[in-house]
Amino acid sequence: MDGVPRGPEQRRPGSSTEPESLRFSVLGPVRAWRHDEPVATGSPQQRALLAALLLREGRTATAAELIDALWGEEPPSQALAAVRTYASRLRKVLDPGVLVSESGGYAVRGLGEGALDLAAAQELAAEAEKARNTGDLCHAREVLNRALSRWDGETLAGVPGPYAEAQRVRLEEWRLQLLESRLDMDLDQGCHAETVSELTALTAAHPLRERLRELLMLALYRSGRQAEALAVYADTRRLLSDELGVDPRPGLQELQQRILRADPNLAEPSAPMAEPVTVPVRPAQLPATVPDFTGRASFVRELSDVLASATGAQAQVMAVSALAGIGGVGKTTLAVHVAHAARSAFPDGQLYVDLQGAGARSAEPETVLGSFLRALGTADSAIPDSLEERAALYRSVLDGRRVLVLLDNARDAAQVRPLLPGTAGCAALVTSRVRMTGLAGAHLVDLDVMSPEEALALFTRIVGEERVGAERKAALDVVAACGFLPLAIRIAASRLAARRTWTVSVLAAKLADERRRLDELQAGDLAVKATFELGYGQLEPAQARAFRLLGLADGPDISLAAAAAVLDLPVEDTEDLLESLVDTSLLESAAPGRYRFHDLVRLYARACAERDEQPPGEREAALSRVLDFYLATAAGIYAMERPGDRLVDHLEPTQHKGLRFAEGTAALDWLYTEGASLLASVRQSVATDRLRRGVDLLWAAKDLAESGANSRQYETTASAVCEAAQLAGDHRTEGRARTTLTNVLLVSGRIHQAAEEARLAMDRAAAAQDVAAGSWAANDRGLISLHQHRYSDGKALFEQAIQGFSAAGNRAGEATTLFNLSRAHLAMGDVAKAVDIARHGLALLSELGRTMRLANGHYALGMALTKAERHMEALSQFGEALTIFADHRQRLWEGTTHFRVAEAHMAARRAAQAAQHAEQALAIGCIGGDRMRGHVLTLLGRALSALGQSDRAKACWHEALRLYEENSPMEADEVRALLAPVDAA
């Protein structure tokens, strides 16, 4: 951000007026406002005078200087009179004291802070530079974006005169420097794909600016587009040679060489975590630390800092840290490790006790105090009998000493309070399965499972580098099966270390069976199941029921509302139960209103449900209730998003009313947040009498596939439901499942597979007399026909679908298929018919209200208008579509619409705009998978070729050809035709 221009002086000492309400802009048209009301600034020459004064930094400009600024070397004969007239007019419309006369000239004085947009931009740029220098790139980017947003078009737009022209050039150069700086930080933050689109447009607008080319090369390379990155260099070298007769600057040449070498330092930067500084270990009552302690660096540092605060020069109170977490997560191991590391800071001793809080009989505080007092040198005869007297004596003995107390496995805060030292210089570490919220002033730490890297490192330290190195993938499978829980990893590793004939793969296979996993995780007196049993045994009956039933539901987590459905309880009662389970560490609070089990705890909860839940049918009833909840809620969202669509009338009835939303944003928040759990519920319905409701839920939640948010999980789920329905001989369910599978295959561009699924879907729907599924299957087959260039077949199928929707009163389905019929007519060359049909479909949907499918209508009409060469109308339609798709979070449709916008721009011979939107389509992704990506790359190549970037165009076409060669021979031939003259050159 070097070369930041200086701005005008905002205030001068002694100024008597500060017109805070008056604001000016020069980063765009020269304008003025008072209390947000525009102030007339007069003719272009008058605005030129105002701009010259605003940019003088509060200094006086003589009449001669202003004449030169406005007219240069050829001023009119009455130039001085004109300057005085302009100044007089400005003085009348501005606040008193702003435009002052001084020494035969004029100056603008006394403006309020931020009154000039340039000054505000300068302050923001300086703040961004400071944030960047301190390493806060997120804040620096945000502030720099705010600075850039101050520009509103061309600087000093419409202002005549040589001074204005010079300032335009200067300020535009500064804007580009700021933009380059922000783009550089974008890349440092990993926003490679998003940056490519912007850089493509900028390099087209500023083809000789090498820094932009350099950033584009780096962005492409980090996006996995090495060939295009090198092509940018080739285009740049040729352009510089042709235009200026020079070679690229050394930095650009070096970057090309590093890309050719695949220099690993060009990858996305990452800041390594500093290793904590440990303190020499001097044990006293502390148990021995484990020799293979691994990871937990951030927790070690955090706890060590708290302990250090107890013994520092500024220490005024005793330090208490309380670690909470599930059994087996390594609380004791971590606490002992930290205590040993801090031992030298507590030379007067370290006390330790296992309070047995997870057991049936926890240690009594008075007994522990007696033991501690003896260890501190108090004679038995001097130890009083009562708890209060022992606690008081304990605190007195510790006064003036520096002692660390480790209270392991505490039951609750009441057990811990009498055991805490009372003076500065001492510290206490507490471990418990319960969060010690009742300990005033305690530093609370929630200990989670290990990271995959830490887990693998622990496993390797126990088993040995040689055995793990030979089977790294199997070792990763083992630690994942252990849920990254330290106790489980230690048990698994110890079993393997004791069995030299076992391979890591043998252990991984044993742990792969979920029903046997907990039984496999025991070695000697260590057992994961026994650890969980201690916590489960202390639950109240209502807590234990909640623990068992919640463990039945698959999914990464569960919402409070879904949990209430599982338990068949009001939300308030459910929240109380779940929060109490969180306090015991048997359940985790993933986010406000969301909960999750550790994988091994979930297996234990299910085992408890099979063993203890009475009557046994309650397990099935719980899963049925949550499926009902998801189906009822998703059906309501489907109806909200698609008013007039009658699909919801053809879904299985539910006993649960589900959630209702007042507006679409909250509804979509719920759908995408619940996506993984919702699909897990569908998968659990396979091979049960819930299968019909499961497939209906899959259909009602089809936005999860179309948006790309959960496409892979959605496809896996749809395939599983298909197989189950086929085995059950349920044509209705199979037809609907194949319809959902067709949809996700079309989204990913796998046309041949989609064609077979759509054919089977239509056949099964006919056999089941399922009009809803049959109509949608006909529509899907029509789309497939368009992809296969069988336009007449597609037209006939769309007309069949329209008849089905019309007969069922499904106006939304009818309108959606009309949009597709428009595309069929467009492909057959009947552009006018295509426009009329798309408009008719839009009219139908408009009567139903603002619906997501309106976007498809604007999209179809935009395509037709593009073919009709009505490009501005087409772009207007695509703009409407983009807004609606964005509102409804249909990212893949957004990307596809950007591709159509690029087509419209290219048809209108606006290659730079076409390239920019094509890049946005690539960054976002499109409906149609690799096939559509090939279309986008082909168009991008055309745009780049038109911009003179032939090498990069060639790289795009080669990538498109690679994508087409397997499944799209016609498109492949088109790209070969584009490449032929380029390759021959």
Side-chain angles (χ1 to χ4, degrees):
M1 288 179 232
D2 294 337
V4 177
R6 294 177 61 196
E9 179 182 303
Q10 297 299 307
R11 292 187 179 88
R12 285 209 172 182
S15 293
S16 60
T17 60
E18 294 185 357
E20 299 284 355
S21 62
L22 200 60
R23 294 186 295 109
F24 298 91
S25 74
V26 293
L27 301 178
V30 175
R31 291 173 291 188
W33 296 268
R34 181 183 291 107
H35 296 301
D36 295 328
E37 291 294 325
V39 174
T41 53
S43 66
Q45 285 79 12
Q46 189 168 308
R47 293 197 302 275
L49 175 69
L50 177 60
L53 294 175
L54 288 169
L55 293 171
R56 294 282 293 182
E57 302 184 359
R59 300 188 305 275
T60 300
T62 67
E65 288 173 331
L66 291 172
I67 290 171
D68 185 61
L70 268 65
W71 293 287
E73 296 179 356
E74 298 181 356
S77 58
Q78 300 297 315
L80 180 58
V83 166
R84 288 171 176 167
T85 300
Y86 298 151
S88 176
R89 290 173 181 170
L90 285 170
R91 189 179 286 115
K92 290 176 182 178
V93 297
L94 300 180
D95 291 345
V98 171
L99 198 159
V100 298
S101 301
E102 187 176 81
S103 304
Y106 300 95
V108 169
R109 300 274 171 79
L111 298 184
E113 185 176 351
L116 182 65
D117 57 357
L118 174 58
Q122 291 164 346
E123 291 177 7
L124 290 168
E127 182 182 346
E129 181 70 15
K130 182 178 179 181
R132 186 177 188 180
N133 290 337
T134 60
D136 190 355
L137 293 187
C138 289
H139 181 62
R141 289 170 65 206
E142 186 268 328
V143 172
L144 208 47
N145 271 324
R146 284 163 50 199
L148 288 165
S149 72
R150 297 287 177 167
W151 269 266
D152 185 15
E154 182 186 36
T155 301
L156 302 174
V159 175
Y163 180 79
E165 182 56 35
Q167 293 301 313
R168 255 193 297 275
V169 172
R170 178 177 71 95
L171 292 171
E172 174 61 14
E173 172 61 26
W174 182 50
R175 185 185 73 84
L176 287 172
Q177 289 177 9
L178 295 181
L179 195 53
E180 288 169 346
S181 215
R182 198 219 71 211
L183 288 164
D184 193 19
M185 287 188 283
D186 287 347
L187 295 182
D188 284 343
Q189 291 281 284
C191 303
H192 318 311
E194 300 89 334
T195 307
V196 169
S197 172
E198 187 174 1
L199 282 167
T200 296
L202 286 168
T203 52
H206 307 279
L208 297 177
R209 199 168 182 93
E210 292 182 70
R211 178 56 179 158
L212 290 175
R213 299 270 183 161
E214 183 179 348
L215 291 169
L216 177 57
M217 289 173 65
L218 187 57
L220 287 166
Y221 179 75
R222 288 182 176 174
S223 300
R225 298 159 69 178
Q226 181 180 7
E228 284 186 67
L230 294 170
V232 169
Y233 178 81
D235 286 331
T236 305
R237 182 179 59 184
R238 185 181 63 256
L239 180 67
L240 292 173
S241 176
D242 292 347
E243 297 289 330
L244 305 176
V246 299
D247 289 328
R249 62 188 179 85
L252 203 59
Q253 296 179 37
E254 181 185 355
L255 179 59
Q256 183 226 18
Q257 292 300 313
R258 293 176 70 188
I259 291 174
L260 287 170
R261 297 195 306 269
D263 187 343
N265 292 325
L266 285 180
E268 182 178 351
S270 59
M273 181 180 292
E275 287 297 318
V277 178
T278 57
V279 182
V281 175
R282 294 180 183 176
Q285 275 198 357
L286 297 174
T289 188
V290 293
D292 49 24
F293 182 86
T294 304
R296 305 297 200 190
S298 62
F299 289 110
V300 170
R301 184 165 52 251
E302 179 181 352
L303 292 168
S304 298
D305 289 345
V306 174
L307 293 182
S309 70
T311 58
Q314 303 300 318
Q316 296 181 350
V317 296
M318 176 207 48
V320 181
S321 289
L323 289 76
I326 188 177
V329 80
K331 300 181 294 296
T332 299
T333 302
L334 173 61
V336 169
H337 179 81
V338 170
H340 274 287
R343 182 179 180 274
S344 63
F346 300 94
D348 295 321
Q350 303 87 41
L351 300 171
Y352 170 85
V353 64
D354 179 358
L355 294 173
Q356 302 174 22
R361 293 179 59 84
S362 57
E364 295 295 336
E366 53 262 53
T367 304
V368 175
L369 285 170
S371 174
F372 280 177
L373 287 167
R374 293 184 190 95
L376 291 167
T378 306
D380 283 347
S381 59
I383 298 175
D385 293 331
S386 72
L387 172 62
E388 292 76 11
E389 290 177 315
R390 288 188 178 192
L393 177 60
Y394 170 65
R395 292 191 294 271
S396 298
V397 170
L398 290 178
D399 185 30
R401 298 192 187 187
R402 293 162 64 186
V403 174
L404 174 62
V405 182
L406 176 46
L407 306 172
D408 193 19
N409 195 15
R411 181 189 63 225
D412 52 29
Q415 185 188 29
V416 168
R417 284 192 198 97
L419 307 179
L420 297 178
T423 57
C426 293
L429 277 174
V430 185
T431 75
S432 177
R433 299 189 184 198
V434 178
R435 298 189 82 240
M436 291 286 168
T437 54
L439 283 184
H443 176 76
L444 304 180
V445 176
D446 292 321
L447 193 59
D448 203 352
V449 296
M450 287 181 147
S451 68
E453 296 77 15
E454 289 175 332
L456 184 62
L458 175 59
F459 184 78
T460 302
R461 291 192 68 173
I462 298 172
V463 174
E465 181 68 44
E466 183 177 351
R467 295 176 77 181
V468 174
E471 297 182 273
R472 181 177 174 81
K473 183 180 183 305
L476 287 170
D477 290 340
V478 168
V479 296
C482 292
F484 309 110
L485 188 71
L487 175 62
I489 295 166
R490 186 173 296 280
I491 291 171
S494 298
R495 291 190 69 195
L496 184 61
R499 292 162 175 81
R500 302 303 301 176
T501 58
W502 281 16
T503 62
V504 182
S505 298
V506 167
L507 178 59
K510 288 179 174 291
L511 295 176
D513 183 355
E514 287 191 352
R515 298 185 65 84
R516 290 278 308 156
R517 188 176 297 167
L518 289 176
D519 293 328
E520 294 289 344
L521 289 174
Q522 52 185 348
D525 61 350
L526 293 178
V528 171
K529 186 188 294 186
T531 299
F532 297 157
E533 190 74 48
L534 287 172
Y536 177 65
Q538 293 188 337
L539 298 180
E540 298 292 333
Q543 293 176 311
R545 174 181 179 268
F547 176 74
R548 295 190 299 268
L549 293 184
L550 288 174
L552 296 173
D554 279 345
D557 60 6
I558 191 168
S559 68
L560 179 58
V566 170
L567 301 180
D568 197 21
L569 290 172
V571 170
E572 295 79 6
D573 295 344
T574 301
E575 184 173 23
D576 289 343
L577 280 173
L578 268 56
E579 287 298 326
S580 70
L581 289 174
V582 170
D583 289 339
T584 66
S585 297
L586 286 172
L587 189 66
E588 301 172 21
S589 179
R594 303 199 69 81
Y595 301 88
R596 68 186 174 207
F597 281 107
H598 182 273
D599 290 346
L600 295 179
V601 177
R602 184 195 300 277
L603 293 179
Y604 176 72
R606 289 183 176 177
C608 290
E610 292 178 6
R611 182 188 68 195
D612 301 338
E613 196 59 44
Q614 297 297 331
E618 176 60 9
R619 299 198 300 272
E620 174 63 25
L623 293 174
S624 180
R625 289 192 296 267
V626 75
L627 179 62
D628 264 11
F629 164 76
Y630 285 134
L631 176 54
T633 307
I637 295 172
Y638 187 97
M640 175 183 286
E641 290 283 286
R642 300 167 175 82
D645 192 324
R646 298 289 300 279
L647 171 66
V648 291
D649 298 335
H650 300 280
L651 301 178
E652 286 288 296
T654 61
Q655 300 300 313
H656 198 291
K657 63 181 181 180
L659 299 177
R660 292 291 180 266
F661 301 96
E663 45 87 27
T665 300
L668 291 176
D669 284 342
W670 181 90
L671 182 64
Y672 291 116
T673 300
E674 293 288 352
S677 298
L678 181 152
L679 292 174
S681 183
V682 175
R683 289 191 294 273
Q684 282 193 288
S685 72
V686 171
T688 72
D689 61 6
R690 306 189 304 276
L691 183 59
R692 284 198 166 197
R693 280 179 289 157
V695 76
D696 283 355
L697 173 54
L698 195 63
W699 200 352
K702 64 185 295 186
D703 285 347
L704 295 175
E706 287 194 20
S707 67
N710 298 79
S711 296
R712 189 179 300 276
Q713 285 183 323
Y714 192 96
E715 180 182 350
T716 302
T717 305
S719 297
V721 174
C722 277
E723 292 176 15
Q726 190 173 15
L727 286 173
D730 185 341
H731 290 320
R732 174 195 176 280
T733 301
E734 185 183 350
R736 294 187 173 203
R738 293 193 185 280
T739 299
T740 63
L741 188 54
T742 300
N743 186 48
V744 77
L745 290 169
L746 281 171
V747 168
S748 62
R750 285 169 285 170
I751 305 303
H752 296 304
Q753 291 173 259
E756 177 61 14
E757 291 298 334
R759 183 189 68 79
L760 290 171
M762 202 164 173
D763 177 72
R764 301 302 186 268
Q769 298 183 332
D770 187 349
V771 177
S775 299
W776 283 113
N779 175 72
D780 290 341
R781 292 188 72 191
L783 285 171
I784 291 163
S785 298
L786 295 189
H787 286 298
Q788 295 175 336
H789 309 290
R790 297 184 293 107
Y791 306 126
S792 295
D793 291 345
K795 174 177 174 292
L797 285 161
F798 291 139
E799 289 171 346
Q800 179 182 343
I802 289 169
Q803 288 178 356
F805 286 129
S806 179
N810 191 338
R811 297 175 68 196
E814 182 181 350
T816 299
T817 312
L818 280 170
F819 302 145
N820 295 330
L821 180 60
S822 168
R823 294 174 62 184
H825 281 283
L826 195 63
M828 293 188 291
D830 193 345
V831 177
K833 184 76 169 176
V835 171
D836 289 343
I837 291 173
R839 289 195 188 280
H840 177 48
L842 266 174
L844 273 181
L845 277 188
S846 296
E847 294 173 7
L848 301 174
R850 182 175 172 83
T851 165
M852 184 182 75
R853 288 306 172 203
L854 270 175
N856 296 98
H858 291 299
Y859 174 92
L861 181 55
M863 289 180 63
L865 290 170
T866 300
K867 284 290 186 183
E869 299 184 355
R870 294 155 63 179
H871 303 126
M872 294 310 295
E873 293 178 69
L875 289 171
S876 176
Q877 293 296 322
F878 290 137
E880 292 285 346
L882 279 171
T883 299
I884 299 173
F885 282 138
D887 287 345
H888 294 268
R889 306 181 202 181
Q890 293 291 317
R891 290 285 290 166
L892 295 182
W893 272 113
E894 277 189 74
T896 309
T897 306
H898 276 295
F899 166 63
R900 299 302 181 187
V901 172
E903 282 187 324
H905 279 301
M906 199 64 198
R909 293 184 169 83
R910 290 191 286 266
Q913 292 92 328
Q916 181 179 5
H917 283 279
E919 283 289 4
Q920 285 181 267
L922 288 175
I924 295 171
C926 296
I927 297 284
D930 284 348
R931 186 171 182 273
M932 181 58 82
R933 184 176 177 83
H935 294 348
V936 179
L937 286 165
T938 303
L939 178 64
L940 177 58
R942 291 179 188 274
L944 294 171
S945 180
L947 292 169
Q949 300 181 31
S950 56
D951 285 286
R952 191 176 164 202
K954 179 179 175 182
C956 290
W957 288 333
H958 274 294
E959 177 64 13
L961 182 60
R962 184 187 68 78
L963 295 171
Y964 283 147
E965 281 181 329
E966 185 173 346
N967 295 313
S968 304
M970 185 179 297
E971 286 84 355
D973 289 341
E974 292 176 5
V975 176
R976 289 192 189 97
L978 291 170
L979 281 168
V982 180
D983 286 338

